[in-house]
Amino acid sequence: MRYLVAKTVVALSAAWGRGLEEARRRPDRGDISITTVIIWVAAVGGAIAIAGTIAAVVAKYNGKLSGI
């Protein structure tokens, strides 16, 4: 589980860095609206919550799910 978390953090950090680099190269793209930021934060937060819930359920019922 720690390996997966570490791998995810590295991937997200790399993607964030690429995004920042792209933003630096293209300053003419304009400002992003606060609504867009709120939507993105909500989407990422929801995805993390869903992934965490799935991981918790799988961890709890791992032995019972082995016959499926």
Side-chain angles (χ1 to χ4, degrees), residues 42-62:
V44 170
I48 290 171
I50 290 169
T53 302
I54 291 170
V57 169
V58 168
K60 182 175 182 179
Y61 296 106
N62 195 20

Side-chain angles (χ1 to χ4, degrees), residues 15-55:
W16 184 264
R18 287 191 303 269
L20 289 176
E21 183 61 34
E22 178 70 19
R24 284 188 199 106
R25 288 189 297 132
R26 300 177 66 191
D28 61 335
R29 291 175 38 168
D31 292 334
I32 189 166
S33 70
I34 191 67
T35 306
T36 304
V37 172
I38 292 170
I39 291 170
W40 272 103
V41 168
V44 170
I48 290 171
I50 290 169
T53 302
I54 291 170

Side-chain angles (χ1 to χ4, degrees), residues 3-24:
Y3 173 74
L4 179 61
V5 171
K7 189 174 178 182
T8 303
V9 168
V10 169
L12 288 174
S13 297
W16 184 264
R18 287 191 303 269
L20 289 176
E21 183 61 34
E22 178 70 19
R24 284 188 199 106

